[in-house]
């Protein structure tokens, strides 16, 4: 009997605060340093700024400053920006310790027990195990909507 | 001090050079520092630069731009108010507006394509900006946030 093979998926992992999060690499347009960030005056508190990428303005959010995304809010900030694109949305998230790895598809359920740091379950689409860690798979549209991006824009 | 109106090309615009095909006119932007940020207004909307101590005309709404802006974590400069920039009313029946500035800058002619719009959802109320002119490569300049018309600035400041 042939064993069914589970295809490895490339992921980009990063930390918000100390919470390990991951998104599929196909959704990541790039990683920039936060020194590229342009502060935007009068913007919402959770808007870290914008970066200009190929002539387009890409908003960058500090998820650590989005209280509705967390059960227990971690410290925000980060020295890197993970720039994601899904559908029409292009947005960045402040992060640190970005890395890439391959792992199987995420599993659903029991997110709260497996992911420390108390990111709300609604922000996650599952959990995956890689490199000895449980990574919360970030639901990009839900996280951006919590930061203030309209649903019509974030998909 | 009166502020010279831009030459030709509509509000803030410039005529195309002689012998060239008509192209989208460049935008004339007056830059100014407001606290830690460099802002801009379309030159054609500027009526006057008013020095500190000089009274503004009656009926003019004043937005203390310098006081409104957050102190940049990066720059942390002083919130000095060096002058006010008097803007014409955007629409018939609209209010004339003055915004405070730390220091007036210079007039820049900008290709319209370099003015990049900012998404409205970045702001808690109205988006006060027409867009951002990113710092030019190698010119060492800071990005310029170009203010939208008086009505949007007033709405952003909660004064409308």
């Amino acid at each position: 009997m042939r064993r069914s093979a589970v295809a490895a998926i490339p992921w980009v992992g990063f930390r918000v605060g100390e919470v390990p999060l991951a998104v599929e690499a196909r959704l990541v347009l790039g990683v920039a340093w936060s020194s590229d960030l342009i502060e935007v005056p009068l913007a919402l508190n959770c808007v870290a700024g914008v970066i200009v990428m190929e002539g387009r303005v890409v908003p960058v959010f500090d998820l650590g400053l989005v209280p509705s995304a967390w059960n227990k809010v971690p410290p925000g900030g980060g020295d890197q920006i993970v720039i994601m694109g899904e559908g029409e949305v292009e947005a960045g998230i402040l992060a640190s310790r970005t890395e890439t790895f391959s792992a199987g598809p995420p599993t659903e359920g029991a997110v709260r027990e497996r992911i420390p740091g108390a990111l709300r379950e609604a922000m996650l689409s599952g959990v995956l195990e890689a490199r000895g860690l449980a990574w919360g798979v970030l639901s990009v549209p839900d996280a951006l909507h919590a930061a203030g991006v309209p649903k019509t824009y974030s998909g | 001090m009166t502020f010279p109106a831009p030459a030709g090309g509509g509000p803030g615009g410039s005529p195309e050079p002689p012998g060239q095909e008509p192209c989208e006119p460049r935008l004339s932007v007056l830059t100014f520092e407001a606290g830690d940020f460099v802002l801009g207004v379309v030159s054609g909307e500027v009526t006057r630069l008013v020095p500190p101590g000089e009274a503004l005309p009656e009926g003019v709404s004043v937005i203390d731009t310098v006081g409104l802006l957050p102190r940049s974590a990066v720059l942390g400069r002083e919130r000095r108010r060096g002058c006010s920039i008097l803007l014409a009313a955007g629409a018939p029946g609209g209010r004339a507006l003055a915004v405070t500035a730390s220091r007036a800058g210079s007039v820049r002619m900008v290709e319209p394509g370099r003015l990049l719009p900012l998404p409205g959802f970045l702001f808690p109320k109205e988006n006060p900006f027409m867009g951002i002119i990113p710092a030019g490569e190698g010119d060492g300049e800071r990005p310029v946030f170009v203010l939208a018309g008086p009505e949007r600035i007033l709405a952003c400041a909660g004064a409308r």
Side-chain angles (χ1 to χ4, degrees):
Chain A
M1 195 171 101
R2 268 181 74 189
R3 288 176 61 192
S4 60
V6 178
I9 299 168
W11 296 90
V12 174
F14 54 92
R15 273 80 167 174
V16 173
E18 282 303 312
V19 182
L21 298 173
V23 291
E24 271 193 67
R26 68 181 173 84
L27 302 177
V28 176
L29 303 177
V31 176
W33 292 107
S34 56
S35 53
D36 293 339
L37 201 59
I38 301 169
E39 283 184 86
V40 178
L42 305 173
L44 289 162
N45 193 34
C46 63
V47 175
V50 296
I51 58 169
V52 177
M53 199 172 74
E54 294 168 4
R56 300 185 308 277
V57 168
V58 178
V60 179
F61 297 93
D62 187 345
L63 280 189
L65 296 179
V66 182
S68 62
W70 304 89
N71 294 314
K72 182 185 171 198
V73 181
D79 59 355
Q80 293 174 316
I81 301 163
V82 180
I83 304 153
M84 288 168 278
E86 187 169 22
E88 286 183 12
V89 69
E90 277 183 358
I93 289 175
L94 270 191
S96 59
R97 292 156 65 194
T98 303
E99 58 188 290
T100 57
F101 53 82
S102 291
T107 54
E108 293 176 14
V111 169
R112 191 177 297 176
E113 291 75 24
R114 295 164 68 194
I115 299 295
L119 186 68
R120 292 216 166 127
E121 282 186 67
M123 304 295 128
L124 299 172
S125 58
V127 180
L128 60 90
E129 307 281 344
R131 297 191 170 179
L133 277 178
W135 302 77
V137 177
L138 190 67
S139 168
V140 176
D142 289 317
L144 294 181
H145 182 58
V149 180
K151 276 276 188 191
T152 49
Y153 182 85
S154 64
Chain B
M1 172 170 124
T2 28
F3 192 79
S14 65
E16 49 283 341
Q20 287 193 10
E21 289 293 311
C23 57
E24 209 174 347
R26 290 199 293 172
L27 196 65
S28 172
V29 173
L30 170 68
T31 66
F32 62 97
E33 286 186 13
D36 297 326
F37 295 93
V38 180
L39 304 187
V41 285
V42 174
S43 302
E45 293 177 357
V46 178
T47 310
R48 289 176 62 212
L49 298 185
V50 182
E54 185 179 316
L56 291 164
E58 261 186 57
V60 171
S61 303
V62 181
I63 300 292
D64 182 15
T65 328
V66 177
L68 263 181
L69 297 183
R71 181 166 282 205
S72 163
V74 180
L75 299 168
R77 292 186 183 160
E78 285 299 311
R79 290 183 171 177
R80 191 173 70 87
R81 287 155 185 84
C83 65
S84 295
I85 298 171
L86 191 57
L87 304 173
R95 276 187 285 182
L97 178 69
V99 294
T100 58
S102 300
R103 195 174 66 163
S106 58
V107 175
R108 283 209 220 165
M109 303 305 292
V110 181
E111 300 290 340
R114 281 201 72 203
L115 180 66
L116 307 175
L118 291 164
F121 59 73
L122 299 184
F123 303 92
K125 295 178 186 168
E126 193 89 19
N127 178 354
F129 301 112
M130 189 185 280
I132 178 177
I133 305 166
E137 283 178 24
D139 63 5
E141 293 171 349
R142 287 147 68 192
V144 179
F145 292 89
V146 181
L147 288 166
E151 293 302 311
R152 267 167 60 186
I153 302 170
L154 286 165
C156 175
R160 191 176 69 184

